[in-house]
Amino acid sequence: MQILSRESDATTKDNPSPGRLIIFTGPSGVGKGTLMRSLLQRHPELYYSISVTTRHPRPGEVDGKDYYFITRSKFEQLVASGEFLEWAEFAGNCYGTPREPVERQIRQGKFVVLEIELKGARQIRQTFPTAESIFILPPSFEELEKRIRTRGNDSEEAIARRLNRAKAEIDAADEFDTQIINDDLETALHALEAALFS
Ligand SMILES: Nc1nc2c(ncn2[C@@H]2O[C@H](COP(=O)(O)OP(=O)(O)O)[C@@H](O)[C@H]2O)c(=O)[nH]1
Ligand SMILES: Nc1ncnc2c1ncn2[C@@H]1O[C@H](COP(=O)(O)OP(=O)(O)O)[C@@H](O)[C@H]1O
């Protein structure tokens, strides 16, 4: 099934408003999750796509809420059967966006948000050129490292992989429609709301 674009004939009598797809990307530790939680609290009408991952849950993470946590062999089966809209490997783990719920929500005129890394964002822009893309930047690389470390969940090895990957991701920020620096959280949240709703 082809995903609907905003210019397509998704608008019908029963479904007067076409859906929107938003891609939300930024380096690990920049505060995407924190911003996303506040955004969803303030705008419960948004549909947040829950990803599938082979990463182990962090303390406090809930299966089916933060992610669907599955094994690598199950992930490979889902890839083979075309269940993902996009997927990518990041810092040693696989992550994917389940296709069916996202397509359904967009058909129903919903505003769907994907929080995904750079390779996945590029795949979505190919298959869904009208998707709107937002990149979250840290105030500095030092602050990014501090945030990853103070979060306190990742091993030294995982931190090194994430920081290494962060450099390549930040270099690609210009590919995105909007860039927002997450320095002060409230200011960043307002900039995000302005990008989405004005
Ligand atoms: N391509 C892709 N990336 C994802 C997906 N879900 C999460 N990610 C990204 O994978 C990266 C690692 O996520 P995670 O392990 O939760 O670490 P964190 O972002 O540092 O908290 C982040 O950049 C997420 O945005 C997905 O479904 N597809
Ligand atoms: N604007 C901000 N100022 C200071 N710390 C922040 C800010 N935004 C997020 N953080 C903190 O940075 C850490 C990483 O945030 P998180 O939302 O997990 O990032 P991501 O989802 O991008 O990996 C968390 O400890 C979070 O509380």
Side-chain angles (χ1 to χ4, degrees), residues 51-55 67 72 75 79 84-97 115-124 165 169:
S51 294
V52 176
T53 185
T54 61
R55 171 166 76 61
Y67 281 106
R72 191 170 272 257
F75 194 95
V79 170
F84 292 127
L85 205 52
E86 62 72 38
W87 70 274
E89 189 146 1
F90 180 96
N93 297 299
C94 296
Y95 298 82
T97 302
E115 194 238 277
I116 58 178
E117 54 65 71
L118 181 62
K119 287 175 279 180
R122 286 178 173 154
Q123 290 175 52
I124 294 288
R165 184 92 195 107
E169 298 222 326

Side-chain angles (χ1 to χ4, degrees), residues 26-37 58 115 136 139 143-144 146-148 150-153 162 182-186 188:
S28 182
V30 74
K32 299 181 299 299
T34 308
L35 283 166
M36 192 53 61
R37 275 190 294 280
R58 293 176 180 146
E115 194 238 277
I136 309 297
E143 173 66 15
L144 181 68
K146 203 169 109 196
R147 287 186 193 171
I148 295 183
T150 49
R151 187 168 61 185
N153 293 311
R162 279 158 196 276
N182 182 21
D183 189 353
D184 172 67
L185 190 66
E186 269 301 302

Side-chain angles (χ1 to χ4, degrees), residues 104-197:
R104 179 163 32 89
Q105 295 292 330
I106 291 174
R107 273 200 308 279
Q108 291 172 358
K110 292 277 172 51
F111 192 157
V112 176
V113 186
L114 309 182
E115 194 238 277
I116 58 178
E117 54 65 71
L118 181 62
K119 287 175 279 180
R122 286 178 173 154
Q123 290 175 52
I124 294 288
R125 286 206 308 261
Q126 289 285 317
T127 52
F128 198 103
T130 54
E132 298 155 57
S133 58
I134 297 177
F135 194 92
I136 309 297
L137 284 159
S140 67
F141 202 76
E142 291 68 35
E143 173 66 15
L144 181 68
E145 178 164 2
K146 203 169 109 196
R147 287 186 193 171
I148 295 183
R149 289 188 182 282
T150 49
R151 187 168 61 185
N153 293 311
D154 300 309
S155 66
E156 269 310 309
E157 195 212 345
I159 290 173
R161 284 168 127 169
R162 279 158 196 276
L163 286 173
N164 196 31
R165 184 92 195 107
K167 293 196 181 88
E169 298 222 326
I170 290 170
D171 284 347
D174 285 351
E175 290 176 20
F176 288 70
D177 299 325
T178 308
Q179 295 82 28
I180 293 171
I181 299 174
N182 182 21
D183 189 353
D184 172 67
L185 190 66
E186 269 301 302
T187 308
L189 193 55
H190 285 136
L192 187 54
E193 287 180 309
L196 295 179
F197 302 113

Side-chain angles (χ1 to χ4, degrees), residues 65-84:
K65 179 166 173 279
D66 298 288
Y67 281 106
Y68 297 105
F69 296 98
I70 64 169
T71 61
R72 191 170 272 257
S73 70
K74 178 73 186 158
F75 194 95
E76 283 164 4
Q77 278 174 29
L78 295 176
V79 170
S81 54
E83 302 284 336
F84 292 127

